[in-house]
Coordinates of all heavy atoms in Angstrom, one line a residue:
M1 N 0.8 -1.2 0.0 CA 0.0 0.0 0.0 C 0.9 1.3 0.0 O 1.8 1.4 0.8 CB -0.9 0.0 1.2 CG -1.9 1.1 1.3 SD -3.0 0.8 2.6 CE -4.0 2.2 2.6
E2 N 0.5 2.2 -0.8 CA 1.3 3.4 -1.0 C 0.9 4.4 0.1 O -0.2 4.6 0.4 CB 1.0 4.0 -2.3 CG 1.9 5.2 -2.7 CD 1.5 5.7 -4.1 OE1 1.2 4.9 -4.9 OE2 1.7 6.9 -4.3
T3 N 2.0 5.0 0.7 CA 1.7 6.0 1.7 C 1.4 7.4 1.1 O 1.9 7.7 0.0 CB 2.9 6.2 2.7 OG1 4.0 6.6 2.0 CG2 3.1 4.9 3.5
L4 N 0.7 8.2 1.7 CA 0.3 9.5 1.2 C 1.5 10.4 1.3 O 2.2 10.5 2.2 CB -0.8 10.1 2.0 CG -2.2 9.4 2.0 CD1 -3.1 10.0 3.0 CD2 -2.7 9.4 0.6
K5 N 1.7 11.2 0.2 CA 2.8 12.2 0.2 C 2.5 13.4 1.1 O 3.3 13.9 1.7 CB 3.0 12.7 -1.3 CG 4.2 13.5 -1.4 CD 4.5 13.7 -2.9 CE 5.8 14.5 -3.0 NZ 6.2 14.7 -4.5
Y6 N 1.2 13.8 1.1 CA 0.7 14.9 1.9 C -0.5 14.5 2.7 O -1.3 13.7 2.3 CB 0.4 16.1 1.0 CG 1.5 16.6 0.1 CD1 1.5 16.4 -1.2 CD2 2.6 17.2 0.7 CE1 2.5 16.8 -2.0 CE2 3.7 17.6 -0.1 CZ 3.6 17.4 -1.5 OH 4.7 17.8 -2.3
K7 N -0.5 15.1 3.9 CA -1.6 14.8 4.8 C -2.2 16.1 5.3 O -1.6 17.2 5.1 CB -1.1 14.0 6.0 CG -0.5 12.6 5.6 CD 0.0 11.9 6.8 CE 0.6 10.6 6.3 NZ 1.2 9.8 7.4
V8 N -3.3 16.0 6.0 CA -3.9 17.2 6.6 C -2.9 17.8 7.6 O -2.3 17.1 8.3 CB -5.3 16.9 7.3 CG1 -5.8 18.1 8.1 CG2 -6.3 16.3 6.3
I9 N -2.8 19.1 7.5 CA -1.8 19.8 8.3 C -2.2 19.8 9.8 O -3.3 20.2 10.1 CB -1.6 21.3 7.9 CG1 -1.1 21.3 6.4 CG2 -0.6 22.0 8.8 CD1 -1.0 22.6 5.8
K10 N -1.3 19.3 10.7 CA -1.6 19.2 12.1 C -0.9 20.2 13.0 O -1.3 20.4 14.1 CB -1.3 17.8 12.6 CG -2.0 16.7 11.8 CD -3.4 16.6 12.2 CE -4.1 15.4 11.5 NZ -5.5 15.4 11.6
D11 N 0.2 20.8 12.5 CA 0.9 21.7 13.4 C 1.6 22.8 12.5 O 1.7 22.7 11.3 CB 1.9 21.0 14.3 CG 2.9 20.1 13.5 OD1 3.4 20.6 12.5 OD2 3.2 19.0 13.9
I12 N 2.2 23.8 13.2 CA 2.8 24.9 12.5 C 4.0 24.5 11.7 O 4.3 25.1 10.6 CB 3.1 26.1 13.5 CG1 3.4 27.4 12.7 CG2 4.1 25.7 14.4 CD1 2.3 28.0 11.9
E13 N 4.8 23.6 12.2 CA 6.0 23.1 11.5 C 5.6 22.5 10.1 O 6.2 22.7 9.1 CB 6.8 22.1 12.3 CG 7.5 22.7 13.5 CD 6.5 22.9 14.7 OE1 5.5 22.3 14.8 OE2 6.9 23.8 15.6
Q14 N 4.6 21.6 10.2 CA 4.1 21.0 8.9 C 3.6 22.1 8.0 O 3.8 22.0 6.8 CB 3.0 20.0 9.3 CG 2.5 19.2 8.1 CD 1.4 18.2 8.5 OE1 0.9 18.3 9.5 NE2 1.2 17.3 7.6
Y15 N 2.9 23.0 8.5 CA 2.3 24.2 7.7 C 3.5 24.9 7.0 O 3.4 25.1 5.8 CB 1.6 25.1 8.6 CG 1.1 26.4 8.0 CD1 0.0 26.5 7.2 CD2 1.9 27.6 8.1 CE1 -0.4 27.6 6.6 CE2 1.5 28.8 7.5 CZ 0.3 28.8 6.7 OH -0.1 30.0 6.1
K16 N 4.5 25.2 7.7 CA 5.6 25.9 7.1 C 6.3 25.1 6.1 O 6.7 25.6 5.0 CB 6.6 26.4 8.2 CG 6.1 27.5 9.1 CD 7.1 27.8 10.2 CE 6.5 28.9 11.1 NZ 7.5 29.2 12.2
E17 N 6.5 23.8 6.4 CA 7.1 22.9 5.4 C 6.3 22.8 4.1 O 6.9 22.9 3.0 CB 7.2 21.5 6.0 CG 7.7 20.4 5.1 CD 7.7 19.0 5.6 OE1 7.4 18.9 6.8 OE2 7.9 18.1 4.9
Y18 N 5.0 22.7 4.2 CA 4.1 22.7 3.0 C 4.2 24.0 2.3 O 4.1 24.0 1.0 CB 2.7 22.3 3.4 CG 2.5 20.8 3.7 CD1 3.5 19.9 3.9 CD2 1.2 20.3 3.8 CE1 3.3 18.6 4.2 CE2 1.0 19.0 4.1 CZ 2.0 18.1 4.3 OH 1.8 16.8 4.6
C19 N 4.2 25.1 3.0 CA 4.3 26.4 2.3 C 5.6 26.5 1.5 O 5.7 27.0 0.4 CB 4.3 27.5 3.3 SG 2.6 27.8 4.0
D20 N 6.7 26.0 2.1 CA 8.0 26.0 1.4 C 8.0 25.1 0.2 O 8.5 25.5 -0.9 CB 9.1 25.6 2.3 CG 9.5 26.5 3.4 OD1 9.1 27.7 3.3 OD2 10.1 26.1 4.4
I21 N 7.4 24.0 0.3 CA 7.3 23.1 -0.9 C 6.4 23.7 -2.0 O 6.8 23.7 -3.1 CB 6.7 21.7 -0.4 CG1 7.6 21.0 0.5 CG2 6.3 20.8 -1.6 CD1 7.0 19.8 1.2
L22 N 5.3 24.3 -1.6 CA 4.4 24.9 -2.5 C 5.2 26.1 -3.3 O 5.1 26.2 -4.5 CB 3.2 25.5 -1.9 CG 2.2 26.2 -2.8 CD1 1.7 25.3 -3.9 CD2 1.0 26.7 -1.9
E23 N 5.9 26.9 -2.5 CA 6.6 28.0 -3.1 C 7.6 27.5 -4.1 O 7.7 28.0 -5.3 CB 7.3 28.8 -2.0 CG 8.0 30.0 -2.6 CD 8.7 30.8 -1.5 OE1 8.6 30.4 -0.3 OE2 9.2 31.9 -1.8
E24 N 8.3 26.4 -3.8 CA 9.3 25.8 -4.7 C 8.6 25.3 -6.0 O 9.1 25.5 -7.1 CB 10.1 24.7 -4.0 CG 11.2 24.1 -4.8 CD 12.0 23.1 -4.0 OE1 12.2 23.3 -2.8 OE2 12.4 22.1 -4.6
L25 N 7.5 24.6 -5.8 CA 6.8 24.1 -7.0 C 6.3 25.2 -7.9 O 6.4 25.0 -9.1 CB 5.6 23.2 -6.5 CG 5.9 21.9 -5.9 CD1 4.7 21.2 -5.3 CD2 6.6 20.9 -6.9
I26 N 5.8 26.2 -7.3 CA 5.3 27.4 -8.1 C 6.5 28.0 -8.9 O 6.3 28.3 -10.1 CB 4.5 28.4 -7.2 CG1 3.2 27.7 -6.8 CG2 4.3 29.6 -8.0 CD1 2.5 28.5 -5.7
F27 N 7.6 28.2 -8.2 CA 8.7 28.9 -8.8 C 9.4 28.0 -9.9 O 10.0 28.5 -10.8 CB 9.7 29.4 -7.8 CG 9.3 30.7 -7.1 CD1 9.1 30.7 -5.8 CD2 9.0 31.8 -7.9 CE1 8.7 31.8 -5.1 CE2 8.5 33.0 -7.2 CZ 8.4 33.0 -5.8
N28 N 9.3 26.7 -9.7 CA 9.8 25.8 -10.8 C 8.9 25.8 -12.0 O 9.4 25.4 -13.1 CB 10.0 24.4 -10.2 CG 11.2 24.3 -9.3 OD1 12.1 25.1 -9.3 ND2 11.1 23.3 -8.4
D29 N 7.7 26.2 -11.8 CA 6.7 26.3 -12.9 C 6.7 25.1 -13.8 O 6.7 25.2 -15.1 CB 7.1 27.6 -13.8 CG 5.9 28.0 -14.7 OD1 4.8 27.8 -14.3 OD2 6.2 28.6 -15.7
N30 N 6.6 23.9 -13.2 CA 6.5 22.7 -14.0 C 5.0 22.3 -14.1 O 4.4 22.0 -13.1 CB 7.3 21.6 -13.2 CG 7.4 20.3 -14.0 OD1 6.6 20.1 -14.9 ND2 8.4 19.5 -13.7
K31 N 4.5 22.3 -15.3 CA 3.1 22.0 -15.5 C 2.7 20.6 -15.0 O 1.5 20.4 -14.6 CB 2.7 22.1 -17.0 CG 3.1 23.5 -17.6 CD 2.2 24.6 -17.0 CE 2.6 25.9 -17.7 NZ 2.5 27.0 -16.9
S32 N 3.6 19.7 -14.9 CA 3.3 18.4 -14.4 C 3.0 18.3 -12.9 O 2.5 17.3 -12.4 CB 4.4 17.4 -14.7 OG 5.5 17.7 -14.0
N33 N 3.3 19.4 -12.2 CA 3.0 19.5 -10.8 C 1.7 20.2 -10.4 O 1.4 20.5 -9.3 CB 4.1 20.2 -10.1 CG 5.4 19.5 -10.1 OD1 5.5 18.3 -10.2 ND2 6.5 20.2 -10.1
A34 N 0.8 20.4 -11.4 CA -0.4 21.2 -11.2 C -1.3 20.5 -10.1 O -1.8 21.3 -9.3 CB -1.2 21.3 -12.5
D35 N -1.4 19.2 -10.1 CA -2.3 18.6 -9.1 C -1.6 18.7 -7.7 O -2.3 18.9 -6.7 CB -2.5 17.1 -9.4 CG -3.4 16.9 -10.6 OD1 -4.2 17.8 -10.9 OD2 -3.4 15.8 -11.2
E36 N -0.3 18.6 -7.6 CA 0.4 18.7 -6.4 C 0.2 20.1 -5.8 O 0.0 20.3 -4.6 CB 1.8 18.3 -6.6 CG 2.6 18.1 -5.3 CD 4.0 17.5 -5.5 OE1 4.4 17.2 -6.7 OE2 4.7 17.4 -4.5
I37 N 0.4 21.1 -6.7 CA 0.2 22.5 -6.3 C -1.2 22.7 -5.8 O -1.4 23.4 -4.8 CB 0.5 23.4 -7.5 CG1 2.1 23.4 -7.8 CG2 0.1 24.9 -7.2 CD1 2.5 24.1 -9.0
E38 N -2.2 22.2 -6.5 CA -3.6 22.4 -6.1 C -3.9 21.8 -4.8 O -4.5 22.4 -3.9 CB -4.5 21.8 -7.2 CG -6.0 22.1 -6.9 CD -6.9 21.6 -8.1 OE1 -6.4 21.1 -9.1 OE2 -8.1 21.8 -7.9
L39 N -3.4 20.6 -4.5 CA -3.6 19.9 -3.3 C -2.9 20.6 -2.1 O -3.5 20.8 -1.1 CB -3.0 18.4 -3.3 CG -3.1 17.6 -2.0 CD1 -4.5 17.5 -1.5 CD2 -2.5 16.3 -2.2
L40 N -1.7 21.0 -2.3 CA -1.0 21.8 -1.2 C -1.7 23.1 -0.9 O -1.8 23.5 0.2 CB 0.5 22.1 -1.6 CG 1.4 20.9 -1.4 CD1 2.7 21.2 -2.1 CD2 1.6 20.6 0.0
T41 N -2.2 23.8 -2.0 CA -2.9 25.0 -1.8 C -4.2 24.8 -1.0 O -4.5 25.6 0.0 CB -3.3 25.6 -3.2 OG1 -2.1 25.9 -3.9 CG2 -4.1 26.9 -3.0
L42 N -4.9 23.7 -1.3 CA -6.1 23.4 -0.5 C -5.8 23.1 1.0 O -6.5 23.6 1.9 CB -6.8 22.2 -1.1 CG -7.5 22.5 -2.4 CD1 -8.0 21.2 -3.0 CD2 -8.7 23.4 -2.2
L43 N -4.7 22.3 1.2 CA -4.3 22.0 2.6 C -3.9 23.3 3.4 O -4.3 23.4 4.5 CB -3.2 21.0 2.6 CG -3.6 19.6 2.1 CD1 -2.3 18.7 1.9 CD2 -4.6 18.9 3.0
I44 N -3.1 24.1 2.7 CA -2.7 25.4 3.3 C -3.9 26.3 3.6 O -4.0 26.9 4.7 CB -1.6 26.0 2.5 CG1 -0.3 25.2 2.5 CG2 -1.3 27.4 3.0 CD1 0.7 25.5 1.5
E45 N -4.8 26.4 2.6 CA -5.9 27.3 2.8 C -6.8 26.8 4.0 O -7.3 27.6 4.8 CB -6.8 27.4 1.5 CG -6.1 28.2 0.5 CD -6.9 28.2 -0.8 OE1 -7.8 27.4 -1.0 OE2 -6.6 29.1 -1.7
K46 N -7.0 25.5 4.1 CA -7.7 24.9 5.2 C -7.1 25.3 6.5 O -7.8 25.7 7.4 CB -7.8 23.4 5.0 CG -8.6 22.7 6.1 CD -8.6 21.2 5.9 CE -9.4 20.4 6.9 NZ -9.2 20.6 8.3
W47 N -5.8 25.1 6.6 CA -5.1 25.5 7.9 C -5.3 27.0 8.2 O -5.6 27.4 9.3 CB -3.6 25.2 7.8 CG -2.8 25.8 8.9 CD1 -2.2 27.0 9.0 CD2 -2.5 25.1 10.1 NE1 -1.6 27.1 10.2 CE2 -1.7 26.0 10.9 CE3 -2.8 23.9 10.7 CZ2 -1.3 25.7 12.2 CZ3 -2.3 23.5 11.9 CH2 -1.6 24.4 12.7
D48 N -5.2 27.9 7.1 CA -5.3 29.3 7.3 C -6.7 29.7 7.8 O -6.8 30.5 8.7 CB -5.0 30.0 6.0 CG -3.6 30.1 5.6 OD1 -2.7 30.0 6.5 OD2 -3.3 30.3 4.4
I49 N -7.7 29.0 7.3 CA -9.1 29.3 7.7 C -9.3 28.9 9.1 O -9.9 29.6 9.9 CB -10.1 28.6 6.8 CG1 -10.1 29.3 5.4 CG2 -11.5 28.6 7.4 CD1 -10.8 28.5 4.3
E50 N -8.8 27.7 9.5 CA -9.0 27.2 10.9 C -8.1 27.9 11.9 O -8.4 28.0 13.1 CB -8.6 25.7 10.9 CG -9.7 24.9 10.2 CD -9.3 23.4 10.1 OE1 -8.2 23.0 10.6 OE2 -10.1 22.6 9.5
H51 N -7.0 28.5 11.5 CA -6.1 29.2 12.3 C -5.9 30.6 11.9 O -4.8 31.1 11.6 CB -4.7 28.5 12.4 CG -4.9 27.1 12.9 ND1 -5.1 26.0 12.0 CD2 -4.8 26.5 14.1 CE1 -5.2 24.9 12.7 NE2 -5.0 25.2 14.0
D52 N -6.9 31.4 11.8 CA -7.0 32.7 11.2 C -6.0 33.6 12.0 O -6.4 34.3 12.9 CB -8.4 33.3 11.2 CG -8.5 34.6 10.5 OD1 -7.5 35.0 9.9 OD2 -9.6 35.2 10.5
T53 N -4.7 33.6 11.6 CA -3.7 34.3 12.3 C -3.7 35.8 12.0 O -3.1 36.6 12.7 CB -2.3 33.7 12.0 OG1 -2.1 33.7 10.6 CG2 -2.2 32.3 12.6
F54 N -4.3 36.2 10.9 CA -4.3 37.6 10.4 C -5.5 38.3 10.9 O -5.6 39.6 10.8 CB -4.3 37.7 8.9 CG -3.0 37.0 8.3 CD1 -3.1 35.9 7.5 CD2 -1.8 37.5 8.6 CE1 -2.0 35.4 7.0 CE2 -0.6 36.9 8.1 CZ -0.8 35.9 7.3
K55 N -6.5 37.7 11.5 CA -7.8 38.3 11.9 C -7.5 39.5 12.8 O -8.2 40.5 12.6 CB -8.6 37.2 12.7 CG -9.9 37.8 13.2 CD -10.8 36.7 13.8 CE -10.0 35.8 14.8 NZ -10.8 34.8 15.4
D56 N -6.7 39.4 13.8 CA -6.5 40.5 14.8 C -5.3 41.4 14.4 O -5.0 42.3 15.2 CB -6.2 39.9 16.1 CG -7.4 39.1 16.6 OD1 -8.6 39.5 16.3 OD2 -7.2 38.1 17.3
S57 N -4.7 41.2 13.2 CA -3.6 42.0 12.8 C -4.0 43.4 12.2 O -5.0 43.5 11.5 CB -2.7 41.3 11.8 OG -2.3 40.1 12.3
D58 N -3.2 44.4 12.5 CA -3.3 45.7 11.9 C -2.8 45.5 10.4 O -1.7 45.1 10.2 CB -2.5 46.7 12.6 CG -2.5 48.1 11.9 OD1 -3.5 48.4 11.2 OD2 -1.5 48.8 12.1
P59 N -3.7 45.8 9.4 CA -3.3 45.6 8.0 C -2.0 46.4 7.6 O -1.2 45.8 6.9 CB -4.5 46.2 7.2 CG -5.6 46.4 8.2 CD -5.0 46.4 9.6
I60 N -1.8 47.6 8.2 CA -0.6 48.3 7.9 C 0.7 47.6 8.4 O 1.7 47.4 7.7 CB -0.7 49.8 8.4 CG1 -1.9 50.5 7.8 CG2 0.6 50.5 8.1 CD1 -1.9 50.7 6.3
E61 N 0.6 47.1 9.6 CA 1.7 46.4 10.3 C 2.0 45.1 9.6 O 3.1 44.7 9.4 CB 1.4 46.2 11.8 CG 1.4 47.5 12.6 CD 2.7 48.3 12.4 OE1 3.8 47.7 12.5 OE2 2.6 49.5 12.2
L62 N 0.9 44.5 9.1 CA 1.0 43.2 8.4 C 1.8 43.4 7.1 O 2.7 42.7 6.7 CB -0.3 42.6 8.2 CG -0.4 41.3 7.4 CD1 0.4 40.2 8.1 CD2 -1.8 40.8 7.2
L63 N 1.4 44.5 6.4 CA 2.0 44.8 5.1 C 3.5 45.2 5.3 O 4.4 44.7 4.6 CB 1.3 46.0 4.4 CG 1.8 46.4 3.1 CD1 1.8 45.2 2.1 CD2 0.9 47.5 2.5
K64 N 3.8 46.0 6.3 CA 5.1 46.3 6.6 C 6.0 45.1 6.9 O 7.1 45.0 6.5 CB 5.2 47.3 7.8 CG 4.8 48.7 7.5 CD 4.9 49.6 8.8 CE 4.4 51.0 8.5 NZ 4.5 51.8 9.7
A65 N 5.4 44.2 7.7 CA 6.2 42.9 8.1 C 6.4 42.1 6.8 O 7.6 41.6 6.7 CB 5.4 42.1 9.1
M66 N 5.5 42.0 5.9 CA 5.6 41.2 4.7 C 6.7 41.9 3.8 O 7.5 41.2 3.2 CB 4.3 41.0 4.0 CG 3.3 40.2 4.8 SD 1.7 40.1 4.0 CE 2.1 39.0 2.6
M67 N 6.7 43.2 3.7 CA 7.6 43.9 2.9 C 9.0 43.7 3.4 O 10.0 43.5 2.7 CB 7.3 45.4 2.8 CG 6.0 45.7 2.0 SD 5.5 47.4 2.0 CE 6.9 48.2 1.2
E68 N 9.2 43.8 4.7 CA 10.5 43.6 5.4 C 11.0 42.2 5.2 O 12.2 42.0 4.9 CB 10.4 43.9 6.9 CG 11.7 43.8 7.6 CD 11.6 44.2 9.1 OE1 10.9 45.2 9.4 OE2 12.1 43.4 9.9
E69 N 10.1 41.2 5.3 CA 10.5 39.8 5.1 C 11.0 39.6 3.7 O 11.9 38.7 3.5 CB 9.2 39.0 5.4 CG 9.5 37.5 5.3 CD 8.2 36.7 5.6 OE1 7.5 37.0 6.5 OE2 8.0 35.7 4.8
H70 N 10.5 40.3 2.7 CA 10.9 40.1 1.3 C 11.8 41.2 0.8 O 12.0 41.3 -0.4 CB 9.7 40.0 0.4 CG 8.8 38.8 0.7 ND1 9.2 37.5 0.3 CD2 7.7 38.7 1.5 CE1 8.3 36.7 0.8 NE2 7.4 37.3 1.5
D71 N 12.4 42.0 1.8 CA 13.4 43.0 1.5 C 12.8 44.0 0.4 O 13.5 44.4 -0.5 CB 14.7 42.4 0.9 CG 15.4 41.6 2.0 OD1 15.4 42.0 3.2 OD2 16.0 40.6 1.7
L72 N 11.6 44.5 0.7 CA 10.9 45.4 -0.2 C 10.8 46.8 0.5 O 10.8 46.8 1.7 CB 9.5 45.0 -0.6 CG 9.5 43.6 -1.4 CD1 8.0 43.2 -1.6 CD2 10.2 43.8 -2.7
K73 N 10.8 47.8 -0.3 CA 10.6 49.2 0.3 C 9.4 49.8 -0.2 O 8.9 49.5 -1.2 CB 11.8 50.0 -0.1 CG 13.1 49.5 0.5 CD 14.2 50.4 0.2 CE 15.5 49.9 0.8 NZ 16.6 50.7 0.7

C-alpha cells in the first residue's frame, strides 16, 4: 500500500514545510506539478481558515512585516 505524500496539516511546522514546498513548486513552474500545487494550496488554505492568524492584525503592520520579510521598500 502506498503512503500519502501529503496529509492534513496538524501543526505549524508542517504548515511551514508545506508552504516552502508549494513555493518551490510554483517557482519551478513545472506544469506536471499542477495537481500537487492544487492539493498543497487546499491544505494550506484549510489551515489558514482554521487558524486565522491575520484576523487581529493591523493591516498596515502586516504589510510592513511582509515587505520587510521580502526586502521590499
